[in-house]
Amino acid sequence: MSLLLAQAGDTNVAPLADTYPLPCTYWSERDLETVEHCAAQTADGYSIAPAILADLSYTDDLATITFPGHQWFYRHRNGRLVEVLTYDNGPDAFAEGLARGRIGDDLVYIDHDLDVKISAPYTFGFPFENGRADVCTGCVSKPVGNGEYSYMAGGLWGVIDKQGREIVKLAPLPEQGEKPAKP
């Protein structure tokens, strides 16, 4: 498991554009900000420019940031950075204390400290509701209309509890195996 860690980086090495070539979008205290020279990709994840780290807006010790070609990330005040699923143009919201993220191709559920609480080889999972979450393997996202929204189709579907145990075993869904994507 490789969680992404953000570090302040060494600003004495090169000009800002060379040190932090990647743009990002993040929430500051003022508004949603887009910055051209924000971060650099490292072997461990991303190094975020110190000025950006100082400008991030935190709620309950979490800030949000995204980089081109990726989904949203939560950044904890302790420096941990974890990629989470995007929902409605922003980071996945916490439901019953857990948010959905990815490590490699696998779905994970993380807590507010960005600790992985459930790690399982599922392709997709819905947020928890009443202690249960629908999950699938082998399902694919299919666009609806202009592609802004999608639904999950095919694969095997089941239900897990908050300990990650399958309480409904994986099986194909009746009626074409399609399940509308919901938050």
Side-chain angles (χ1 to χ4, degrees):
M1 165 172 34
S2 62
L3 294 178
L4 303 175
L5 301 177
Q7 304 168 31
D10 185 355
T11 58
N12 298 322
V13 179
L16 192 61
D18 293 338
T19 305
Y20 301 106
L22 297 177
C24 71
T25 300
Y26 66 94
W27 282 104
S28 72
E29 292 295 331
R30 297 171 306 283
D31 202 358
L32 186 64
E33 309 282 348
T34 298
V35 177
E36 188 174 341
H37 301 291
C38 169
Q41 195 154 14
T42 67
D44 294 336
Y46 291 94
S47 174
I48 300 172
I52 303 304
L53 291 174
D55 197 37
L56 290 172
S57 175
Y58 287 88
T59 302
D60 296 328
D61 289 328
L62 294 177
T64 58
I65 189 167
T66 187
F67 306 104
H70 290 279
Q71 306 219 28
W72 282 90
F73 291 76
Y74 278 120
R75 184 185 188 277
H76 196 280
R77 283 189 194 275
N78 66 15
R80 295 177 92 184
L81 188 70
V82 177
E83 188 170 6
V84 295
L85 300 188
T86 297
Y87 178 72
D88 203 15
N89 297 323
D92 193 50
F94 284 85
E96 297 188 17
L98 299 173
R100 301 169 295 164
R102 290 227 175 268
I103 295 181
D105 292 332
D106 293 337
L107 176 76
V108 296
Y109 288 87
I110 58 172
D111 66 12
H112 280 87
D113 291 327
L114 305 185
D115 291 326
V116 174
K117 293 301 180 184
I118 300 171
S119 179
Y122 298 114
T123 307
F124 179 81
F126 285 101
F128 276 90
E129 187 175 327
N130 298 318
R132 302 164 56 120
D134 293 348
V135 294
C136 66
T137 60
C139 54
V140 295
S141 178
K142 302 264 184 163
V144 174
N146 66 3
E148 185 175 350
Y149 297 99
S150 63
Y151 66 93
M152 301 307 293
L156 303 176
W157 287 84
V159 179
I160 60 171
D161 65 14
K162 289 180 77 173
Q163 286 70 45
R165 297 179 298 231
E166 281 185 12
I167 55 177
V168 175
K169 296 292 181 200
L170 293 171
L173 286 177
E175 301 179 27
Q176 307 300 319
E178 297 178 357
K179 183 130 179 112
K182 63 180 181 182

